Amino acid sequence: MSHDALIPAHPEPPTLPLPFPLTLTRGGLSGFPSPAQDYEGRTMDLNERLVKRAASTFFMTVTGDSMESLGIHSGDLLVVDSAIEPRPGHILVASVEGELVVKRYELLGNRPYLTSGNPSYQPIPAADLECQAWGVVRAVVHEYPV
């Protein structure tokens, strides 16, 4: 992963209305729904939903297979917040010996490690290497090939 993959969040992202997902339940109603009900004016703003602190949020695209069993695949877009204090169990973007990695922060025997979701990769002992957390992954956007 290179620094080229980092995309900083815009401090005030533009508001782009997206259709709000329809609720599939109709409790307490009888008869047939109005065809106009599908076109109600509710919208969902993904910036509002996924970006809690714009000034400390950045986006990056994942490469590699080390986190697949945790639902993070090559090509996925990560929403990363650098203002969150990393805790065990968080998935982090970190610089390890100058290379950006996406790993889970864990304590093994009271020592900090960065672990992957793929058994082919050994845990990285964070205390023994030059390691700096860049931020905590808040969301993963996974697109399906269509």
Side-chain angles (χ1 to χ4, degrees):
M1 253 182 275
S2 70
H3 296 289
D4 301 338
L6 299 178
I7 307 166
H10 190 281
E12 293 187 30
T15 302
L16 301 174
L18 296 174
F20 197 83
L22 296 176
T23 305
L24 300 178
T25 59
R26 292 181 35 86
L29 300 176
S30 62
F32 295 100
S34 164
Q37 201 169 23
D38 291 342
Y39 300 100
E40 292 177 355
R42 295 174 41 181
T43 60
M44 179 190 311
D45 180 355
L46 290 179
N47 290 308
E48 183 180 303
R49 169 79 187 226
L50 301 177
V51 177
K52 302 304 179 196
R53 288 176 287 275
S56 62
T57 299
F58 64 93
F59 303 92
M60 69 178 282
T61 302
V62 176
T63 58
D65 63 354
S66 72
M67 300 299 282
E68 285 183 352
S69 71
L70 297 174
I72 299 174
H73 303 271
S74 191
D76 285 354
L77 180 71
L78 301 181
V79 180
V80 185
D81 191 332
S82 62
I84 298 174
E85 185 68 31
R87 293 191 313 240
H90 283 163
I91 296 175
L92 306 179
V93 173
S95 173
V96 178
E97 299 288 318
E99 179 184 355
L100 282 181
V101 297
V102 177
K103 302 290 181 194
R104 184 191 309 211
Y105 172 46
E106 293 186 19
L107 293 178
L108 304 174
N110 289 329
R111 294 195 51 173
Y113 282 85
L114 298 176
T115 63
S116 74
N118 183 331
S120 300
Y121 299 97
Q122 294 295 315
I124 299 169
D128 298 344
L129 302 170
E130 183 183 322
C131 182
Q132 179 183 13
W134 281 30
V136 174
V137 175
R138 287 199 34 79
V140 179
V141 180
H142 178 78
E143 295 182 69
Y144 294 103
V146 292

